[in-house]
Amino acid sequence: MNLLFSINRGFLHLFASCIRSIVNHGGEDHYEAYILHSDLKSADQDRVRQAAGETVTCHFVPVDPTLFDGFPETRRYPRQIYYRLAAPLLLPGNLDRVLYLDVDTAVINPLRELYDTDLGENYFAACTHVRKFLTKVNRARLGVEEEVPYVNTGVLLMNLPVLRENLRLEDIRACANAKKHAFLLPDQDILTALYGTKICLVDAMRYNLSDRILNFYNADPRHGTRDLDWVRENTVIVHYCGRNKPWKDSYAGDLGVFYQEVQG
């Protein structure tokens, strides 16, 4: 199983937590982890390998950060967020698919069903965290006419052969320059604007569950409550997206238990 991460030195501790959760619960005997980076020293790479353990073979893929000069970035959204969008051009040509994960995720059940999703001619499989009204708002904000979902880029299954044929860094740069004044979440905005018609949606409750999504679901009287027992049995990937992080004192939510369990 091929996994993809994009990190800088500031994310080493979260990578360690994420990869431990994959080793513990991902369900595979072995993983090939491709790590896009621009600043990891030899000692940092040793820390990554140590955290991954023998179950994971780590491949460090250096990225020239000047490829993304001029792209909008902030402290919260550093340049590394764009690396995942260019990954099909940076990864070895013999890979057919790869599962990208943000390092603020925790895997709590086997990944195989998600990894084997039939992508057809779609570029990505991903989840949306946005309801219908806000999807329309985001399409208007980005100037997208088609009926496309607004996706969360923290979990992306990539169809690499199709992407190699169709993805161009020049298109990503042009989109970033043309629409950057409308961006709120730059990488998600770009992926939705450029490739929204080529996304296979998968269930966020299973593959990209956040505390906010769980709370929204449980607040809807049209269906029953899904508690932590349901999550533990059915959810595969928990995503601590946004500012509500279980490693912060300000955290408020139920899903932090899975992060704490990884810490031992």
Side-chain angles (χ1 to χ4, degrees), residues 68 82-91 123-124 156 158-173 190-191 194-195 198:
F68 304 94
Y82 301 108
Y83 292 7
R84 79 192 90 177
L85 300 183
L89 308 178
L90 302 170
L91 292 171
Y123 297 177
F124 303 98
L156 289 173
M158 299 185 182
N159 188 347
L160 293 176
V162 175
L163 280 164
R164 289 189 197 102
E165 291 182 3
N166 294 280
L167 185 145
R168 299 194 320 146
L169 189 58
E170 294 81 3
D171 294 337
I172 297 173
R173 180 181 302 281
I190 290 172
L191 188 140
L194 282 180
Y195 309 118
K198 296 295 185 179

Side-chain angles (χ1 to χ4, degrees), residues 147-248:
E147 293 282 337
V148 300
Y150 186 80
V151 298
N152 182 281
T153 53
V155 179
L156 289 173
L157 181 65
M158 299 185 182
N159 188 347
L160 293 176
V162 175
L163 280 164
R164 289 189 197 102
E165 291 182 3
N166 294 280
L167 185 145
R168 299 194 320 146
L169 189 58
E170 294 81 3
D171 294 337
I172 297 173
R173 180 181 302 281
C175 181
N177 289 331
K179 300 178 184 291
K180 62 184 177 183
H181 297 298
F183 286 168
L184 297 177
L185 302 169
D187 58 322
Q188 295 184 177
D189 290 342
I190 290 172
L191 188 140
T192 298
L194 282 180
Y195 309 118
T197 61
K198 296 295 185 179
I199 296 171
C200 170
L201 281 183
V202 292
D203 186 359
M205 292 291 289
R206 296 192 66 205
Y207 299 122
N208 198 329
L209 181 63
S210 67
D211 279 297
R212 184 174 66 87
I213 294 300
L214 182 62
N215 290 339
F216 279 159
Y217 184 93
N218 287 336
D220 190 332
R222 292 175 296 179
H223 41 62
T225 299
R226 291 185 172 177
D227 58 15
L228 281 181
D229 288 337
W230 184 94
V231 172
R232 196 176 292 278
E233 183 175 348
N234 295 280
T235 295
V236 176
I237 302 170
V238 173
H239 189 187
Y240 303 110
C241 53
R243 299 181 183 276
N244 191 33
K245 310 291 192 185
W247 50 91
K248 294 183 177 181

